[in-house]
Amino acid sequence: MTAAIVAPYITAWTEEQELPYALIEHSRGIGYADETIGDRDSHGVLWARTPLRLRHGRPEFGRIHPQRQRRAMSRLLCQVCAGPAGRNEDGVLWILRDYRDDWPSWPNRMGVTEPPICAPCARLSAKLCPALRRGAVVVRVGSCPVVGVRGMLYRSGGGRPVPVGPTTVAFDDPAVSWVRATNLIRELGDCVIIPFEDLP
């Protein structure tokens, strides 16, 4: 199956450009002027509007499709093939850039926007992804709760929201109602780094 993959499932394509939108502000944050029930998630967070046109045009490897990232992350699907992520009694499989020098227990307590992966796609990604070729590790993650979102933060502008900049916000932070989300975040815990050769 992985041999036919041209681009990872979460990659955006050229025919999936962001749709036009008008933001408004209200007492509890931001919203779309023509908001529908599908514009927010179960936490009440507003999400970017992007059409679903997978495999139309060319893949844009530096850009992630918000809805597909959210689906893969919430359902623990492989970010490459969209099948179930690798899982065993030690946890769910992730492939990460190697930042073990950042702190002693890395990647425990790290928030990630990259969804998990299956074993065949982990091997393929380590070979083909330029970022991962610089150094990657495979991790079994015992706990990975959904904790927040990444997106554009806005502030009140007297009726018209003013963009502040990209940010990461936890669901329990009041600022989350001023974010237009593009990525779901999970926090990794009970992590065990495993050798590539131990992948099933």
Side-chain angles (χ1 to χ4, degrees), residues 37-110:
I37 194 165
D39 289 321
R40 293 186 185 269
D41 63 19
S42 60
H43 296 275
V45 177
L46 189 69
W47 277 79
R49 289 174 167 175
T50 309
L52 289 164
R53 307 264 303 148
L54 181 63
R55 295 185 185 25
H56 286 78
R58 295 179 316 281
E60 296 187 322
F61 292 102
R63 198 164 63 89
I64 302 301
H65 192 281
Q67 282 76 23
R68 287 198 296 275
Q69 186 272 355
R70 181 173 145 202
R71 179 178 183 267
M73 195 66 114
S74 62
R75 297 183 183 188
L76 294 174
L77 302 178
C78 174
Q79 62 174 285
V80 178
C81 70
R87 187 188 298 240
N88 67 13
E89 62 278 0
D90 295 321
V92 181
L93 193 66
W94 251 269
I95 189 169
L96 304 169
R97 286 275 311 274
D98 190 349
Y99 290 116
R100 281 179 274 192
D101 295 337
D102 281 10
W103 69 83
S105 63
W106 181 92
N108 284 294
R109 306 205 58 226
M110 182 174 80

Side-chain angles (χ1 to χ4, degrees), residues 159-171:
R160 172 174 257 165
V162 176
V164 175
T167 191
T168 299
V169 182
F171 288 127

Side-chain angles (χ1 to χ4, degrees), residues 61 95-99 114 125-137:
F61 292 102
I95 189 169
L96 304 169
R97 286 275 311 274
D98 190 349
Y99 290 116
E114 301 87 357
S125 297
K127 290 178 190 170
L128 299 180
C129 176
L132 295 177
R133 283 197 305 250
R134 292 184 221 126
V137 293

Side-chain angles (χ1 to χ4, degrees), residues 69 73 94 96-97 99 102-103 106-115 141 143-150 168-170 183-189 191:
Q69 186 272 355
M73 195 66 114
W94 251 269
L96 304 169
R97 286 275 311 274
Y99 290 116
D102 281 10
W103 69 83
W106 181 92
N108 284 294
R109 306 205 58 226
M110 182 174 80
V112 294
T113 57
E114 301 87 357
V141 178
S143 68
C144 52
V146 174
V147 294
V149 294
R150 177 152 183 81
T168 299
V169 182
N183 296 121
L184 199 59
I185 298 172
R186 283 187 181 267
E187 184 178 293
L188 307 185
C191 300

